[in-house]
Amino acid sequence: KDVNDDARYVISRSMYESDRIQESEVAKCNSDKINEVWVPTDFNVDSFKSSGVKSSKLFQIGEGIDMYNTWNPALYTNKSDHSVLAKLGLENTKKGWNLMSLFKFERRKNWKGLLEAYLSEFTSKDDICFFLKTHEGWEGNPETWIKDYLGKLARKKIIKSKTLPCIYLIDSMIDADELPALFAEMDGFLLPSHAEGWGLPAMEAMAMELPVAVTDWGGVTHFSSGYSERASTKDPYGRFKGGYAIKVEKLEAAFDNPSKGYWAVPSVPHMKQILRHMYEHQEEAKASGKLGRQKVLKYDRSAVAKDILRSFNEIYTEIVRPSTTGLSKSSSRASSPKSKGI
């Protein structure tokens, strides 16, 4: 977008899901009109830098949510008073253990891998139900695509249509202020995306003390399994404080287009292994979920706001205030090392 020429200092807030950004975006970031580029994760610090963005312009500032007045399980101790499932006519659908996912319906979210893992690992004999909350994205109507894909899995004998486990598609709109109540009705959360710039639904799930199963790659690792930790390689179930990290089989061109970078292909067999473990070790998963909330509390929006204000104050005191003749667009403060921000 055009930058106001009267602006004395310009900050671009940006993120990208794959491991690189396109040359046109690199040029914008390196433009003299942009002083700093704020990205949410160390993953993006590296991906932007390796794409050609000047390291001196890159700063890591995390995302934030309201951890106390909104995404707080203590507000939903009496779940029947806040039942979103009841409002949707699904009040009698829950099983002994209930799993959910939340995402916009698009290829990047790896909904095919998610469905294959769950539907081929469990059967109607298992006391489990999966609630898939999604809405129409780039690929169109979710129900049409899902039915077609399930037919393909059945024809390949990957799943058995007559013994499928409990699963419900929720594609109706739910008010944002009711989403925490939906999370509160669940026991686990799954987000096996090919790529995430941040992975907000996973952080929301961790804030609600749900154990999460997430891809061990990309932006989501910043607050979950650890960007440089590779938890999935150190434990059979990829256990970390807050959940389970799904192994990556390989990287492939995003949207089959190498110019858009590469993203992860999560292992379906390992995803199945993790889901089965979570289901059969529910107390362990529950305890991990409680640890997860403590882990992400530092991303409460008040803490992130303080980090932003601290950066603004540095910019003002180091650059803007000392300037008496106008600020050159090429002026900037020294780039901070990765993870100096939150």
Side-chain angles (χ1 to χ4, degrees):
K1 294 183 178 180
D2 293 335
V3 175
N4 189 333
D5 289 334
D6 292 332
R8 299 182 64 191
Y9 203 86
V10 177
I11 299 167
S12 170
R13 176 56 163 175
S14 186
M15 69 171 69
Y16 200 66
E17 294 86 1
S18 77
D19 67 350
R20 71 187 65 186
I21 63 174
Q22 297 188 32
E23 292 183 3
S24 59
E25 299 303 318
V26 172
K28 292 176 184 178
C29 291
N30 286 336
S31 166
D32 288 343
K33 292 184 177 181
I34 302 295
N35 297 92
E36 296 185 5
V37 179
W38 289 8
V39 294
T41 65
D42 290 345
F43 169 75
N44 267 168
V45 170
D46 283 345
S47 63
F48 277 52
K49 186 177 179 180
S50 64
S51 298
V53 176
K54 298 175 183 177
S55 59
S56 61
K57 293 196 174 194
L58 291 167
F59 292 79
Q60 184 267 311
I61 302 286
E63 295 283 295
I65 60 175
D66 186 348
M67 299 278 186
Y68 296 98
N69 300 310
T70 304
W71 296 97
N72 185 351
L75 302 176
Y76 302 95
T77 52
N78 189 345
K79 298 177 183 179
S80 62
D81 290 344
H82 307 278
S83 179
V84 176
L85 292 178
K87 292 182 179 180
L88 295 171
L90 300 173
E91 61 269 29
N92 297 317
T93 56
K94 291 180 67 177
K95 298 286 187 177
W97 203 75
N98 301 280
L99 179 70
M100 76 167 286
S101 192
L102 171 68
F103 54 83
K104 181 172 70 173
F105 195 74
E106 61 182 15
R107 181 178 174 184
R108 179 174 62 84
K109 298 297 185 176
N110 190 30
W111 58 269
K112 290 183 178 180
L114 176 151
L115 289 173
E116 180 181 344
Y118 175 73
L119 295 175
S120 64
E121 178 60 31
F122 299 98
T123 71
S124 54
K125 294 181 180 180
D126 292 301
D127 192 15
I128 186 173
C129 196
F130 182 54
F131 295 87
L132 174 54
K133 173 66 187 83
T134 188
H135 60 277
E136 188 169 317
W138 301 113
E139 299 190 4
N141 182 272
E143 184 175 0
T144 301
W145 279 90
I146 289 174
K147 285 183 176 179
D148 179 68
Y149 185 62
L150 295 190
K152 292 179 180 178
L153 291 179
R155 288 191 293 273
K156 292 181 180 179
K157 298 184 179 180
I158 295 174
I159 63 173
K160 296 180 180 179
S161 301
K162 293 183 179 180
T163 59
L164 289 179
C166 175
I167 181 170
Y168 285 92
L169 171 65
I170 303 174
D171 57 0
S172 56
M173 294 302 295
I174 297 176
D175 290 340
D177 58 0
E178 290 187 316
L179 279 177
L182 178 61
F183 279 69
E185 295 187 80
M186 301 297 153
D187 301 297
F189 187 87
L190 173 62
L191 191 69
S193 305
H194 288 299
E196 291 287 347
W198 180 259
L200 185 62
M203 185 171 74
E204 292 167 341
M206 291 175 71
M208 293 299 291
E209 297 186 347
L210 293 182
V212 301
V214 296
T215 307
D216 197 16
W217 190 87
V220 71
T221 62
H222 191 86
F223 59 82
S224 59
S225 57
Y227 174 52
S228 61
E229 295 299 315
R230 291 296 179 260
S232 63
T233 66
K234 300 177 180 179
D235 178 88
Y237 305 103
R239 284 173 284 209
F240 62 86
K241 292 181 179 179
Y244 305 82
I246 304 166
K247 289 180 181 178
V248 173
E249 288 186 347
K250 62 179 180 179
L251 298 184
E252 67 178 13
F255 301 104
D256 302 316
N257 185 350
S259 71
K260 294 185 177 181
Y262 287 74
W263 62 23
V265 179
S267 167
V268 170
H270 193 230
M271 198 187 320
K272 292 172 62 173
Q273 183 180 345
I274 288 173
L275 292 177
R276 175 60 67 176
H277 182 81
M278 293 172 73
Y279 172 66
E280 294 184 350
H281 298 82
Q282 296 175 21
E283 289 304 314
E284 176 196 287
K286 185 176 181 180
S288 183
K290 289 184 178 296
L291 292 175
R293 174 170 172 80
Q294 297 306 311
K295 192 173 186 177
V296 298
L297 281 177
K298 65 180 179 179
Y299 299 106
D300 176 65
R301 64 183 182 184
S302 62
V304 176
K306 288 179 181 178
D307 203 37
I308 293 172
L309 287 174
R310 182 166 56 249
S311 296
F312 284 166
N313 286 332
E314 287 180 3
I315 292 168
Y316 180 73
T317 57
E318 295 176 15
I319 299 172
V320 176
R321 187 170 64 181
S323 174
T324 57
T325 60
L327 181 68
S328 169
K329 293 284 183 167
S330 61
S331 301
S332 63
R333 59 190 176 132
S335 178
S336 60
K338 289 189 296 183
S339 290
K340 182 179 179 182
I342 61 175

Short mmCIF file of all heavy atoms in Angstrom, two decimals, residues 27 34 39 87 89 94 96 110 113 116 118 147 163 170 194 199 241 246 250 256 262 284 297 333 337 341:
data_model
loop_
_atom_site.label_atom_id
_atom_site.label_comp_id
_atom_site.label_asym_id
_atom_site.label_seq_id
_atom_site.Cartn_x
_atom_site.Cartn_y
_atom_site.Cartn_z
N ALA A 27 11.08 -6.30 -1.98
CA ALA A 27 11.36 -4.94 -2.44
C ALA A 27 10.60 -3.91 -1.62
O ALA A 27 11.14 -2.85 -1.27
CB ALA A 27 11.01 -4.82 -3.92
N ILE A 34 9.99 2.36 4.14
CA ILE A 34 9.72 1.52 5.31
C ILE A 34 10.95 1.51 6.21
O ILE A 34 12.05 1.15 5.78
CB ILE A 34 9.38 0.07 4.89
CG1 ILE A 34 8.17 0.05 3.95
CG2 ILE A 34 9.13 -0.79 6.11
CD1 ILE A 34 6.88 0.51 4.56
N VAL A 39 7.46 -8.57 12.54
CA VAL A 39 6.90 -9.89 12.26
C VAL A 39 6.64 -10.59 13.60
O VAL A 39 7.29 -10.29 14.60
CB VAL A 39 7.84 -10.73 11.38
CG1 VAL A 39 7.97 -10.12 9.99
CG2 VAL A 39 9.22 -10.89 12.02
N LYS A 87 -26.86 -24.47 21.59
CA LYS A 87 -27.44 -23.45 20.71
C LYS A 87 -27.44 -23.91 19.25
O LYS A 87 -28.28 -23.49 18.46
CB LYS A 87 -26.67 -22.14 20.84
CG LYS A 87 -26.83 -21.46 22.19
CD LYS A 87 -26.08 -20.14 22.23
CE LYS A 87 -26.26 -19.45 23.56
NZ LYS A 87 -25.53 -18.14 23.61
N GLY A 89 -27.91 -26.97 18.40
CA GLY A 89 -28.70 -28.19 18.32
C GLY A 89 -27.87 -29.46 18.44
O GLY A 89 -28.29 -30.53 18.02
N LYS A 94 -21.89 -34.94 22.40
CA LYS A 94 -20.57 -35.13 23.01
C LYS A 94 -20.37 -36.57 23.47
O LYS A 94 -21.31 -37.27 23.83
CB LYS A 94 -20.38 -34.18 24.19
CG LYS A 94 -20.25 -32.72 23.79
CD LYS A 94 -20.06 -31.82 25.01
CE LYS A 94 -18.73 -32.08 25.68
NZ LYS A 94 -18.50 -31.18 26.82
N GLY A 96 -17.20 -39.30 25.44
CA GLY A 96 -16.34 -39.29 26.61
C GLY A 96 -15.14 -38.37 26.45
O GLY A 96 -14.65 -37.80 27.42
N ASN A 110 -4.49 -27.97 5.72
CA ASN A 110 -4.29 -29.42 5.69
C ASN A 110 -5.51 -30.18 6.23
O ASN A 110 -5.37 -31.14 7.00
CB ASN A 110 -3.03 -29.79 6.50
CG ASN A 110 -2.62 -31.25 6.32
OD1 ASN A 110 -2.86 -31.86 5.28
ND2 ASN A 110 -2.01 -31.82 7.34
N GLY A 113 -5.37 -34.03 5.51
CA GLY A 113 -4.57 -34.82 6.42
C GLY A 113 -5.25 -35.00 7.76
O GLY A 113 -5.21 -36.08 8.37
N GLU A 116 -8.13 -37.59 7.30
CA GLU A 116 -7.59 -38.94 7.11
C GLU A 116 -7.08 -39.52 8.42
O GLU A 116 -7.34 -40.68 8.76
CB GLU A 116 -6.48 -38.93 6.07
CG GLU A 116 -5.88 -40.31 5.84
CD GLU A 116 -4.76 -40.34 4.83
OE1 GLU A 116 -4.61 -39.37 4.06
OE2 GLU A 116 -4.01 -41.34 4.81
N TYR A 118 -7.83 -38.71 11.63
CA TYR A 118 -8.88 -38.98 12.63
C TYR A 118 -9.78 -40.14 12.20
O TYR A 118 -10.05 -41.07 12.98
CB TYR A 118 -9.71 -37.73 12.88
CG TYR A 118 -10.89 -37.98 13.79
CD1 TYR A 118 -10.71 -38.18 15.16
CD2 TYR A 118 -12.19 -38.05 13.29
CE1 TYR A 118 -11.78 -38.43 16.00
CE2 TYR A 118 -13.27 -38.29 14.12
CZ TYR A 118 -13.07 -38.49 15.48
OH TYR A 118 -14.14 -38.75 16.30
N LYS A 147 -17.36 -34.18 1.76
CA LYS A 147 -18.08 -35.38 1.32
C LYS A 147 -17.36 -36.05 0.16
O LYS A 147 -17.24 -37.28 0.10
CB LYS A 147 -19.52 -35.02 0.93
CG LYS A 147 -20.43 -34.74 2.12
CD LYS A 147 -21.85 -34.46 1.65
CE LYS A 147 -22.79 -34.28 2.84
NZ LYS A 147 -24.19 -33.98 2.41
N THR A 163 -18.34 -47.73 9.81
CA THR A 163 -17.86 -47.71 11.21
C THR A 163 -17.10 -46.42 11.54
O THR A 163 -16.21 -46.41 12.40
CB THR A 163 -16.95 -48.92 11.47
OG1 THR A 163 -15.83 -48.89 10.56
CG2 THR A 163 -17.70 -50.22 11.31
N ILE A 170 -19.22 -28.01 11.78
CA ILE A 170 -19.90 -26.78 12.18
C ILE A 170 -19.44 -25.68 11.25
O ILE A 170 -18.33 -25.15 11.39
CB ILE A 170 -19.57 -26.41 13.65
CG1 ILE A 170 -19.94 -27.56 14.59
CG2 ILE A 170 -20.31 -25.13 14.05
CD1 ILE A 170 -19.51 -27.32 16.03
N HIS A 194 -0.29 -27.02 7.12
CA HIS A 194 0.95 -27.02 6.34
C HIS A 194 1.84 -25.86 6.77
O HIS A 194 3.07 -25.99 6.79
CB HIS A 194 0.64 -26.88 4.85
CG HIS A 194 0.02 -28.09 4.23
ND1 HIS A 194 0.65 -29.31 4.18
CD2 HIS A 194 -1.18 -28.26 3.61
CE1 HIS A 194 -0.13 -30.19 3.57
NE2 HIS A 194 -1.25 -29.58 3.21
N GLY A 199 -0.80 -18.89 14.09
CA GLY A 199 -1.58 -20.03 14.57
C GLY A 199 -2.48 -19.66 15.72
O GLY A 199 -2.50 -20.34 16.76
N LYS A 241 5.27 -28.83 26.79
CA LYS A 241 4.37 -28.23 27.78
C LYS A 241 3.23 -27.53 27.05
O LYS A 241 3.39 -26.43 26.56
CB LYS A 241 5.13 -27.27 28.68
CG LYS A 241 6.14 -27.94 29.59
CD LYS A 241 6.85 -26.92 30.48
CE LYS A 241 7.85 -27.61 31.39
NZ LYS A 241 8.58 -26.64 32.25
N ILE A 246 3.55 -32.63 15.89
CA ILE A 246 3.42 -33.60 14.80
C ILE A 246 4.64 -33.53 13.89
O ILE A 246 5.02 -32.45 13.43
CB ILE A 246 2.15 -33.33 13.98
CG1 ILE A 246 0.91 -33.33 14.89
CG2 ILE A 246 1.99 -34.35 12.87
CD1 ILE A 246 -0.33 -32.76 14.23
N LYS A 250 8.20 -33.94 5.09
CA LYS A 250 9.01 -33.24 4.08
C LYS A 250 8.45 -31.84 3.90
O LYS A 250 7.42 -31.49 4.46
CB LYS A 250 8.96 -33.98 2.74
CG LYS A 250 7.55 -34.06 2.15
CD LYS A 250 7.55 -34.78 0.80
CE LYS A 250 6.13 -34.83 0.23
NZ LYS A 250 6.09 -35.50 -1.10
N ASP A 256 1.76 -25.75 -4.74
CA ASP A 256 2.44 -26.30 -5.93
C ASP A 256 3.19 -25.24 -6.72
O ASP A 256 3.45 -25.40 -7.92
CB ASP A 256 1.43 -27.01 -6.86
CG ASP A 256 0.68 -28.13 -6.14
OD1 ASP A 256 1.33 -28.89 -5.42
OD2 ASP A 256 -0.55 -28.21 -6.31
N TYR A 262 8.07 -22.81 0.40
CA TYR A 262 7.77 -24.19 0.75
C TYR A 262 7.11 -24.26 2.12
O TYR A 262 7.30 -23.40 2.97
CB TYR A 262 9.06 -25.02 0.74
CG TYR A 262 9.57 -25.29 -0.65
CD1 TYR A 262 10.18 -24.27 -1.39
CD2 TYR A 262 9.43 -26.54 -1.25
CE1 TYR A 262 10.62 -24.49 -2.69
CE2 TYR A 262 9.88 -26.77 -2.54
CZ TYR A 262 10.47 -25.75 -3.26
OH TYR A 262 10.90 -25.96 -4.54
N GLU A 284 -2.93 -37.33 31.24
CA GLU A 284 -1.68 -36.72 30.81
C GLU A 284 -1.96 -35.53 29.90
O GLU A 284 -1.36 -34.45 30.06
CB GLU A 284 -0.82 -37.74 30.05
CG GLU A 284 0.47 -37.13 29.48
CD GLU A 284 1.12 -38.02 28.43
OE1 GLU A 284 1.68 -39.05 28.82
OE2 GLU A 284 1.06 -37.66 27.23
N LEU A 297 0.55 -17.32 28.73
CA LEU A 297 0.07 -16.14 29.43
C LEU A 297 0.88 -14.89 29.09
O LEU A 297 0.38 -13.77 29.16
CB LEU A 297 0.08 -16.37 30.94
CG LEU A 297 -1.07 -17.19 31.52
CD1 LEU A 297 -0.89 -17.39 33.02
CD2 LEU A 297 -2.42 -16.53 31.23
N ARG A 333 16.40 2.33 14.05
CA ARG A 333 17.13 1.88 15.23
C ARG A 333 17.78 0.55 14.91
O ARG A 333 17.44 -0.12 13.93
CB ARG A 333 16.20 1.77 16.43
CG ARG A 333 15.04 0.81 16.22
CD ARG A 333 14.03 0.91 17.33
NE ARG A 333 12.88 0.04 17.03
CZ ARG A 333 12.35 -0.83 17.89
NH1 ARG A 333 12.84 -0.93 19.10
NH2 ARG A 333 11.32 -1.57 17.53
N PRO A 337 17.89 -8.72 18.43
CA PRO A 337 18.05 -10.15 18.14
C PRO A 337 16.71 -10.86 18.23
O PRO A 337 15.77 -10.37 18.82
CB PRO A 337 19.01 -10.62 19.23
CG PRO A 337 18.81 -9.65 20.35
CD PRO A 337 18.53 -8.33 19.67
N GLY A 341 11.66 -9.66 21.61
CA GLY A 341 10.26 -9.36 21.84
C GLY A 341 9.58 -10.58 22.41
O GLY A 341 10.21 -11.56 22.80
#
